[in-house]
């Protein structure tokens, strides 16, 4: 299967967007060759602004630029969502300015740079902000759609992208704010987002080998969340598992948890990073260390059934 | 607008500051009174803004980076006709348009929501850069505080302003020397702030008395320096115009009671 890093797709999507939308400008904080905004820089040098290693200023500059009718896309590592958080909150979300954030290298699969650079909290930070839309594309094709959708939204949007080359699935219909049923099932349901789709698919296969028919639903839009679809599958399958490359606090799991209270759910478990920081290592080794490979996810589900 | 009229407007705005902070029992009169002359000069003489052109994309922009001086901005906007003085009754109150800090979503004439120090100047830099990008002829003005200049973001923004040669940006420092916990030098010395501004690439104009309308006007009307952002260092007096507030750190974030307000308003007559 073809593999492509979602951050690469982000860079390509910006170039495509730039062709048709003159208002799009791109800002980066000296990481263009990592966030892949260098593709845009090459295509439209006059619409690319390097902000230097000053993420907070990048965000507020984008806020100011948006008031001149531009649509700024800011990019840096997802871990710096924390560093520029006051600016994202007060400079962009509070006045609902039209600024987009394409933050890359999210999660532990950033790998070797280690825990200081592995954002395991960015989704929590972003989802709690009023006016913010949060996208977590699961592959390159979904990322193209997220970037396109972000440009059409009048307000702040966060797009979480990843470093690692991951499978590119056949394009699926994209509807803003709606989850995607990847596989139907009756014994339990897995809700996932981002690159954990690959490992959740693997878990579904492992479960099938053991006679467990698991449904799998992927959510490219974490906020606003498709509550209806989540509740439908929770009621139907009664055993609910969330899988994310993020802290189990404040991400997908905590988005789902309050929705399924009182819905007759018999088992619920959040599978993700268990309130610890990451560390250096190869992405595959890290997934194994933190229990996020397909077989490990399947084991956790079986032990909860 | 002639000098006497502008001075009279400044007195009116100072009365507004006293009135609204007193009614609310809260707010920041000291740092509002120190930057009043600059705001009046901008809104009545320098900037091409009016309630009629509020949506004109080519209007000049103003960002009150020291957002806690909101009473000075609200007084100025009111005197300029953006809303009526009845709004002062709801300053800092539920459902009021005059929030504790300026809110672009609620208050007419406000170009950026500010209050988190350091952010306003950074947003203003973005506006100036965006204006250059789109060919918008507007000029962007921002008033920053001296205490605010302890924020790293002020200097990140300054570096970017020089890098992008934003000669359509004017940063105005309201240097009253005082902040919440004491003088700048007691809390965190700014050192040679003028030399710092020069070193960061600004074209700097120092105004010996930033509460003297003529001196403020002269600085604001000075021709732009091509390729450089402008920095106007206003030496001001905290609490200017109200004798018992002048130079007193205690009036940073404290409202006058009814008796004190009456005394202040008497001093500000005319």
């Amino acid at each position: 299967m073809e593999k492509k890093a979602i951050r690469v797709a982000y860079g390509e999507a910006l170039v495509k967007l730039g062709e048709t939308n003159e208002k799009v400008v791109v800002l980066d904080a000296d990481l263009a060759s990592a966030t892949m905004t260098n593709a845009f820089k090459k295509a439209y040098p006059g619409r690319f602004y390097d902000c230097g290693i000053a993420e907070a200023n990048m965000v507020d500059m984008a806020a100011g630029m948006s008031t001149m009718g531009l649509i700024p896309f800011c990019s840096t590592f997802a871990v710096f969502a924390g560093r520029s958080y006051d600016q994202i909150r007060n400079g962009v979300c509070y006045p609902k300015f039209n600024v987009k954030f394409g933050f890359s290298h999210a999660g532990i699969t950033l790998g070797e740079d280690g825990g200081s650079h592995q954002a395991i909290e960015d989704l929590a930070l972003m989802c709690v902000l009023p006016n913010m839309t949060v996208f977590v594309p699961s592959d390159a094709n979904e990322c193209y759609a997220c970037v396109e959708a972000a440009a059409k939204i009048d307000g702040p949007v966060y797009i979480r992208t990843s470093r690692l080359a991951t499978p590119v699935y056949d394009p699926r219909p994209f509807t803003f704010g709606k989850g995607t049923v990847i596989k139907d099932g009756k014994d339990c349901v897995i809700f996932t987002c981002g690159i954990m789709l690959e490992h959740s698919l693997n878990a579904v296969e492992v479960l099938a080998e053991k006679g467990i028919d698991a449904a799998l639903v992927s959510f490219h839009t974490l906020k606003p969340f498709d509550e209806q679809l989540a509740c439908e599958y929770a009621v139907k399958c009664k055993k609910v598992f969330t899988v994310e490359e993020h802290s189990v606090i404040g991400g997908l799991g905590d988005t789902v948890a309050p929705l399924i209270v009182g819905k007759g759910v018999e088992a619920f478990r959040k599978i993700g990073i268990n309130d610890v920081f990451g560390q250096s290592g190869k992405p595959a080794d890290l997934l194994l260390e933190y229990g996020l490979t397909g077989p490990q996810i399947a084991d956790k589900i079986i032990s909860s059934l | 607008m002639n000098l006497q009229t502008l001075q009279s407007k400044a007195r009116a705005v100072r009365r507004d500051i006293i009135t609204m902070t007193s009614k609310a029992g809260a707010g920041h009169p000291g740092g509002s009174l120190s930057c009043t002359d600059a705001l009046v000069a901008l809104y009545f003489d320098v900037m091409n803004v009016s309630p009629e052109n509020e949506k004109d994309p080519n209007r000049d922009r103003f960002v009150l980076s020291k957002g806690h001086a909101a009473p000075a901005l609200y007084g100025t906007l009111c005197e300029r006709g953006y809303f009526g003085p009845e709004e002062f009754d709801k300053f800092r109150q539920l459902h009021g348009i005059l929030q504790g800090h300026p809110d672009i979503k609620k208050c007419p004439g406000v170009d950026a929501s500010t209050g988190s120090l350091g952010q306003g100047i950074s947003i203003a830099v973005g506006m100036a850069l965006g204006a250059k990008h789109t060919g918008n002829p507007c000029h962007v003005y921002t008033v920053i505080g001296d205490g605010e200049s302890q924020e790293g973001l002020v200097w990140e923004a300054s570096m970017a302003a020089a890098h992008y040669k934003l000669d359509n940006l004017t940063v105005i420092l309201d240097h009253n020397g005082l902040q919440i916990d004491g003088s700048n030098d007691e809390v965190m010395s700014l050192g040679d702030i003028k030399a710092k501004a020069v070193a960061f690439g600004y074209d700097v104009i120092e105004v010996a008395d930033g509460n003297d309308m003529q001196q403020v006007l002269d600085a604001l009307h000075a021709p732009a320096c091509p390729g450089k952002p402008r920095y106007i260092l206003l030496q001001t007096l905290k609490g200017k115009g109200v004798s018992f507030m002048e130079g007193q750190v205690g009036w940073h974030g404290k409202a006058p009671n009814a008796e004190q307000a009456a005394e202040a308003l008497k001093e500000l007559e005319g």
Side-chain angles (χ1 to χ4, degrees):
Chain A
M1 183 180 272
E2 184 199 353
K3 285 195 169 189
K4 181 183 278 191
I6 294 172
R7 64 183 166 126
V8 173
Y10 173 71
E12 293 169 352
L14 287 180
V15 172
K16 185 160 179 278
L17 186 63
E19 282 173 24
T20 53
N21 196 333
E22 288 277 320
K23 293 177 181 172
V24 171
V25 292
V26 172
L27 289 79
D28 207 302
D30 196 35
L31 285 172
S33 55
T35 63
M36 305 313 283
T37 60
N38 57 1
F40 189 94
K41 181 183 181 178
K42 195 176 166 196
Y44 314 104
R47 289 155 67 188
F48 177 86
Y49 292 96
D50 208 319
C51 299
I53 307 168
E55 296 78 13
N57 188 51
M58 171 174 71
V59 170
D60 272 338
M61 273 176 58
M65 293 176 86
S66 75
T67 70
M68 294 292 161
L70 297 168
I71 306 175
F73 277 72
C74 291
S75 292
T76 183
F77 287 167
V79 76
F80 299 136
R83 183 177 214 130
S84 54
Y85 195 60
D86 184 35
Q87 288 69 35
I88 295 172
R89 182 198 190 276
N90 276 319
V92 175
C93 287
Y94 185 56
K96 204 184 174 197
F97 279 161
N98 197 18
V99 176
K100 320 300 171 187
F101 306 95
F103 282 16
S104 75
H105 292 62
I108 55 171
T109 53
L110 169 141
E112 292 82 349
D113 276 352
S116 59
H117 282 55
Q118 294 164 352
I120 46 129
E121 71 285 355
D122 56 315
L123 296 178
L125 291 172
M126 294 303 125
C127 283
V128 79
L129 292 174
N131 295 331
M132 182 66 101
T133 294
V134 179
F135 286 136
V136 193
S138 63
D139 74 345
N141 285 326
E142 219 162 64
C143 185
Y144 300 141
C146 287
V147 170
E148 203 175 313
K152 289 178 186 158
I153 293 168
D154 183 19
V157 178
Y158 181 79
I159 305 170
R160 184 190 220 221
T161 73
S162 307
R163 175 191 173 209
L164 202 60
T166 46
V168 182
Y169 301 101
D170 291 337
R172 298 181 292 265
F174 179 94
T175 309
F176 170 69
K178 295 294 174 193
T180 310
V181 179
I182 305 292
K183 179 195 167 294
D184 208 351
K186 60 178 181 2
D187 296 333
C188 65
V189 61
I190 299 173
F191 295 146
T192 192
C193 62
I195 64 164
M196 292 314 293
L197 174 59
E198 177 189 2
H199 305 284
S200 297
L201 274 167
N202 186 214
V204 166
E205 286 170 17
V206 174
L207 291 169
E209 285 164 12
K210 303 195 174 179
I212 298 165
D213 181 20
L216 176 59
V217 182
S218 180
F219 294 90
H220 49 66
T221 314
L222 195 50
K223 188 187 176 189
F225 192 65
D226 190 348
E227 299 184 0
Q228 195 184 347
L229 185 66
C231 288
E232 182 190 319
Y233 268 84
V235 168
K236 176 177 151 180
C237 298
K238 293 192 169 48
K239 293 158 185 107
V240 179
F241 302 92
T242 57
V243 179
E244 59 195 312
E245 192 198 10
H246 184 274
S247 171
V248 291
I249 300 171
L252 174 67
D254 277 355
T255 301
V256 170
L259 301 175
I260 61 174
V261 173
K263 297 286 196 299
V265 169
E266 295 160 6
F268 174 68
R269 183 165 175 184
K270 298 184 287 184
I271 298 168
I273 310 294
N274 291 315
D275 196 23
V276 292
F277 288 112
Q279 59 181 302
S280 288
K282 291 188 174 64
D285 293 342
L286 287 162
L287 286 170
L288 196 62
E289 175 71 18
Y290 292 91
L292 293 175
T293 64
Q296 289 169 304
I297 293 165
D299 280 350
K300 287 176 186 177
I301 290 172
I302 290 165
S303 72
S304 303
L305 287 174
Chain B
M1 192 171 274
N2 74 47
L3 186 65
Q4 286 70 31
T5 311
L6 288 169
Q7 289 166 333
S8 166
K9 291 286 181 196
R11 277 194 299 278
V13 170
R14 287 193 161 93
R15 289 196 295 273
D16 294 340
I17 292 167
I18 297 302
T19 300
M20 76 182 93
T21 55
S22 173
K23 275 183 180 167
H28 297 79
S32 297
L33 292 166
S34 63
C35 66
T36 296
D37 305 287
L39 265 62
V40 167
L42 285 168
Y43 276 88
F44 286 90
D45 198 67
V46 178
M47 299 198 295
N48 73 334
V49 295
S50 71
E52 292 73 41
N53 80 349
E54 204 196 339
K55 300 291 174 203
D56 178 359
N58 291 349
R59 73 191 186 281
D60 289 336
R61 304 296 203 281
F62 176 74
V63 179
L64 184 66
S65 198
K66 48 171 291 187
H68 54 282
L73 179 60
Y74 297 155
T76 305
L77 289 173
C78 174
E79 298 299 330
R80 193 71 182 79
Y82 283 86
F83 49 79
E86 67 279 2
E87 298 297 340
F88 296 158
D89 294 343
K90 288 178 281 177
F91 171 54
R92 288 182 165 250
Q93 306 304 311
L94 192 64
H95 303 312
I97 64 168
L98 307 183
Q99 295 284 297
H101 295 80
D103 186 337
I104 191 175
K105 290 297 213 194
K106 294 192 167 71
C107 184
V110 168
D111 289 323
S113 300
T114 51
S116 175
L117 294 176
Q119 289 206 39
I121 180 176
S122 183
I123 292 167
V125 167
M127 286 177 173
L129 183 60
K132 289 255 182 197
H133 184 99
T134 55
N136 185 320
C138 75
H139 196 97
V140 182
Y141 297 86
T142 182
V143 168
I144 65 171
D146 44 17
E148 180 181 17
S149 299
Q150 291 154 1
E151 290 279 5
L153 185 51
V154 169
W155 304 102
E156 290 185 17
S158 297
M159 204 181 286
H163 179 80
Y164 285 109
K165 303 181 178 10
L166 301 179
D167 49 15
N168 57 344
L169 172 74
T170 297
V171 175
I172 301 160
L173 173 68
D174 177 18
H175 194 7
N176 59 40
L178 301 176
Q179 53 194 108
I180 297 179
D181 281 348
S183 70
N184 298 152
D185 285 338
E186 287 168 334
V187 177
M188 180 54 66
S189 175
L190 303 179
D192 188 341
I193 190 71
K194 186 178 178 183
K196 284 188 169 79
V198 170
F200 270 79
Y202 285 108
D203 177 64
V204 180
I205 296 176
E206 185 169 6
V207 176
D209 184 352
N211 296 120
D212 180 289
M213 186 59 78
Q214 189 59 58
Q215 290 185 38
V216 173
L217 288 170
D218 290 346
L220 287 169
H221 282 299
C225 180
K228 280 189 159 192
R230 165 69 44 81
Y231 188 96
I232 299 178
L233 199 175
L234 297 179
Q235 301 290 359
T236 60
L237 185 60
K238 197 148 183 164
K240 174 71 183 181
V242 179
S243 57
F244 60 88
M245 289 186 178
E246 287 185 354
Q248 299 298 313
V249 72
W251 288 102
H252 173 89
K254 189 176 78 172
N257 61 30
E259 195 181 325
Q260 290 164 329
E263 191 184 335
L265 289 173
K266 201 172 173 188
E267 287 186 28
L268 292 166
E269 275 174 9

